[in-house]
Amino acid sequence: MTTESNPKDFSKQQRIKIHQPDASKADSFNPRNRIYVRAVDGLWTTLRRYMGWIAMLFFLLLPWLPWGDRQAVWFHLAEQKFHVFGLTIWPQDLTLLAALFMIAAFGLFFVTTYLGRVWCGYTCPQTVWTFIFIWFEEKFEGARNKRIKLDQMPWSVNKLWRKTAKHTSWLLVSLLTATTFVSYFIPSRELYIDVFTLNAGGGIYFWVVFFTIATYGNAGWMREIMCIHMCPYARFQAAMFDKNTYIVGYDTQRGETRGPRTRKQDPKEMGLGDCIDCDLCVQVCPTGIDIRNGLQYECINCGACIDACDNTMERMGYDKGLISYTTENKLDGIEEKVLRPKLVGYGVVLTVMILIFIYASATIAPVRMDVIRDRNSLYRQNNQGNTENTFTIKILNKTEQPQEYELSVEGLPNAQWIGPQHVSIESGEVITLPISIAVDPIELKRSITKIDIKITAVIEGSPIEIKQETRFFGD
């Protein structure tokens, strides 16, 4: 064997050429071509399986977790408020929800820059539910080769019952998923009783059926089509990758040239690398790619091909790691850099956003007050000869119980309050109070005076005080 054919002496340009997809497989991502995913066991598959079940159980059980006289997480659209454990978010606090979405976005950017598409491979609902559906598929139709043969066989009693059992299990999981999702918006105990006793409203049944069909279609039929053709994250992930991002990578220097052999044969004498070209890495891939063709946006970093290859290497008596979580720099023999400007930038922004969210959540006021001046007249002289300004005060009780509030004015000596100063407001209620403030003109030192409208209350044993600045006009 000449030295030119030794994979250890390949130039970078030659290795890039090996990474190019085979033209004969250009149609491998045609949505009409079904992918039969082969089962595999290994470290990363076990980790993904545990994380998937944890995510699934968290999703299913969270609506059943009680918090006082309600469920812990309840998006109460009818009253326009979100309950998240002890935190109640009103429409006036939706900046918190926006901040939470920003935290999720920058968290995703940070993790992707460092670890690649691990969100897609381990915790994305599409991936979690797809592997659950594949599990049912394997239980009823058998391993990969059996499923292929079953689909090629003519219809029979055996094929009919297996297909029926599989699709029935898919629909039951989809129905459970849909009902659970709706229970985040309607109290779970009421929802399940009403749905399964046929006492729910038409709107509830519409959404349950809609999300059942969506789950059944996405995880049962579309699967990799969602990841490859519809998910926007697969498209813009390249903007977050760099050569130090961890990816699922194939060691070309070690693996090429590929070729079959027995365990007793010496690959070096045959001029071969460690890859025996068994194609198991392709068969276990949920998106149907060949990782040996290099980095591809279709790869979701699930690690299934790593487990398949490690199992093969172990059987052949070779070192594991031919396919592994690695970086492009490491594959090219360049030193890896963990800390780089983009990663640090995402980390700093993420940390700042989390701190802002924590502070804003901890300082949400249990009452909101808006003071609106009368725009028709700046001021007027009343019958007592005092200067009078008119305001409209709106007060929202953001607590879960009725509250008593006292109103007053500061910054205007000897001011007269005309209107109610003691009000009782039900939970979630907004009241509008037209009031006037009058003062002897002698007390006014200037034509415009800054004043504070103050509201005080005792909520859950703690006194609270809220002020809003406004202007008092006079001569």
Side-chain angles (χ1 to χ4, degrees):
M1 193 73 182
T2 62
T3 56
E4 287 77 14
S5 61
N6 190 335
K8 296 295 183 180
D9 297 327
F10 279 3
S11 67
K12 185 175 181 180
Q13 289 74 18
Q14 288 172 311
R15 288 189 284 110
I16 291 175
K17 184 176 180 180
I18 290 175
H19 284 180
Q20 300 306 314
D22 187 349
S24 64
K25 299 181 180 179
D27 197 39
S28 60
F29 300 124
N30 189 324
R32 296 182 180 274
N33 293 341
R34 183 178 177 188
I35 296 174
Y36 294 85
V37 180
R38 185 188 185 106
V40 63
D41 288 319
L43 172 64
W44 304 110
T45 299
T46 301
L47 177 61
R48 186 186 66 249
R49 186 179 295 124
Y50 281 130
M51 292 186 68
W53 281 114
I54 290 172
M56 181 75 167
L57 290 174
F58 182 81
F59 168 75
L60 292 174
L61 298 179
L62 190 58
W64 295 96
L65 186 64
W67 190 270
D69 59 350
R70 58 171 172 82
Q71 63 189 50
V73 178
W74 180 19
F75 305 131
H76 198 342
L77 298 182
E79 295 187 5
Q80 298 184 345
K81 55 185 178 182
F82 295 167
H83 300 287
V84 183
F85 296 93
L87 178 66
T88 300
I89 302 177
W90 296 79
Q92 294 82 0
D93 302 317
L94 284 182
T95 50
L96 279 178
L97 196 59
L100 189 61
F101 287 141
M102 292 179 67
I103 289 172
F106 279 101
L108 192 64
F109 298 162
F110 178 81
V111 171
T112 302
T113 300
Y114 183 48
L115 297 174
R117 293 182 64 184
V118 291
W119 158 261
C120 296
Y122 290 86
T123 54
C124 174
Q126 177 68 25
T127 301
V128 173
W129 263 255
T130 294
F131 277 106
I132 290 173
F133 277 40
I134 290 175
W135 183 84
F136 280 104
E137 193 172 62
E138 292 172 347
K139 294 302 177 183
F140 291 113
E141 297 185 0
R144 178 178 183 271
N145 292 337
K146 291 183 178 180
R147 298 202 302 273
I148 295 174
K149 291 180 180 178
L150 185 67
D151 285 348
Q152 293 172 347
M153 291 169 54
W155 281 98
S156 62
V157 174
N158 177 61
K159 183 174 181 177
L160 180 62
W161 87 259
R162 290 182 183 278
K163 291 290 184 181
T164 301
K166 179 186 74 171
H167 288 285
T168 300
S169 65
W170 284 2
L171 284 169
L172 289 175
V173 173
S174 300
L175 177 61
L176 177 62
T177 301
T179 309
T180 301
F181 183 76
V182 175
S183 69
Y184 281 86
F185 301 88
I186 298 173
S188 53
R189 290 174 177 81
E190 300 174 15
L191 175 67
Y192 278 84
I193 293 174
D194 290 345
V195 167
F196 294 108
T197 59
L198 304 180
N199 291 320
I204 293 177
Y205 282 116
F206 169 80
W207 289 115
V208 169
V209 171
F210 175 83
F211 288 115
T212 298
I213 295 174
T215 305
Y216 173 76
N218 287 348
W221 291 95
M222 300 184 73
R223 295 186 180 177
E224 75 284 348
I225 297 174
M226 294 292 297
C227 301
I228 297 174
H229 300 285
M230 301 179 69
C231 178
Y233 181 50
R235 303 294 179 177
F236 68 74
Q237 64 152 343
M240 291 171 270
F241 273 37
D242 56 41
K243 291 185 178 297
N244 290 291
T245 297
Y246 278 89
I247 58 172
V248 175
Y250 166 69
D251 189 346
T252 307
Q253 290 276 20
R254 176 185 160 188
E256 299 298 325
T257 301
R258 314 169 195 167
R261 82 294 301 266
T262 66
R263 182 176 179 179
K264 294 181 180 181
Q265 289 179 301
D266 186 353
K268 293 182 179 179
E269 294 180 358
M270 302 174 66
L272 299 175
D274 284 354
C275 179
I276 67 173
D277 207 18
C278 62
D279 270 349
L280 290 180
C281 56
V282 180
Q283 296 176 21
V284 300
C285 179
T287 58
I289 66 170
D290 188 342
I291 196 63
R292 295 169 298 180
N293 290 333
L295 178 62
Q296 298 151 73
Y297 80 86
E298 297 89 357
C299 177
I300 61 172
N301 272 32
C302 67
C305 57
I306 299 177
D307 288 334
C309 187
D310 282 349
N311 291 340
T312 299
M313 294 296 102
E314 189 174 17
R315 288 194 297 269
M316 295 297 295
Y318 302 162
D319 291 336
K320 296 181 180 180
L322 178 59
I323 301 175
S324 64
Y325 282 109
T326 184
T327 66
E328 287 191 83
N329 274 343
K330 186 174 181 179
L331 289 174
D332 291 335
I334 303 173
E335 183 181 357
E336 298 174 279
K337 294 181 180 179
V338 176
L339 295 178
R340 56 257 197 207
K342 183 163 61 174
L343 183 64
V344 173
Y346 285 143
V348 170
V349 174
L350 177 61
T351 303
V352 170
M353 291 300 302
I354 291 174
L355 293 176
I356 291 175
F357 179 79
I358 293 174
Y359 174 78
S361 301
T363 56
I364 289 181
V367 58
R368 180 183 177 90
M369 176 176 62
D370 291 314
V371 179
I372 305 170
R373 282 191 49 83
D374 184 1
R375 298 181 182 276
N376 295 322
S377 64
L378 293 178
Y379 67 94
R380 67 184 182 89
Q381 298 295 325
N382 62 19
N383 295 334
Q384 289 77 33
N386 293 332
T387 302
E388 184 176 318
N389 283 201
T390 302
F391 303 88
T392 299
I393 300 177
K394 291 185 178 182
I395 304 173
L396 166 63
N397 177 9
K398 295 164 63 177
T399 68
E400 298 297 304
Q401 299 82 28
Q403 300 294 342
E404 304 286 333
Y405 300 99
E406 293 286 341
L407 293 99
S408 58
V409 60
E410 290 184 347
L412 206 58
N414 302 316
Q416 178 186 4
W417 185 283
I418 305 172
Q421 283 189 272
H422 180 86
V423 293
S424 178
I425 308 177
E426 296 295 323
S427 172
E429 183 184 5
V430 180
I431 66 167
T432 301
L433 298 175
I435 64 102
S436 295
I437 298 175
V439 68
D440 191 322
I442 298 176
E443 301 290 347
L444 298 175
K445 307 301 182 184
R446 57 185 68 87
S447 60
I448 301 176
T449 304
K450 291 182 180 180
I451 63 172
D452 290 318
I453 303 296
K454 183 173 72 172
I455 186 170
T456 57
V458 177
I459 298 177
E460 296 182 353
S462 302
I464 64 131
E465 178 180 288
I466 294 178
K467 298 179 181 180
Q468 181 165 334
E469 185 181 279
T470 186
R471 300 290 188 273
F472 188 91
F473 290 83
D475 292 331

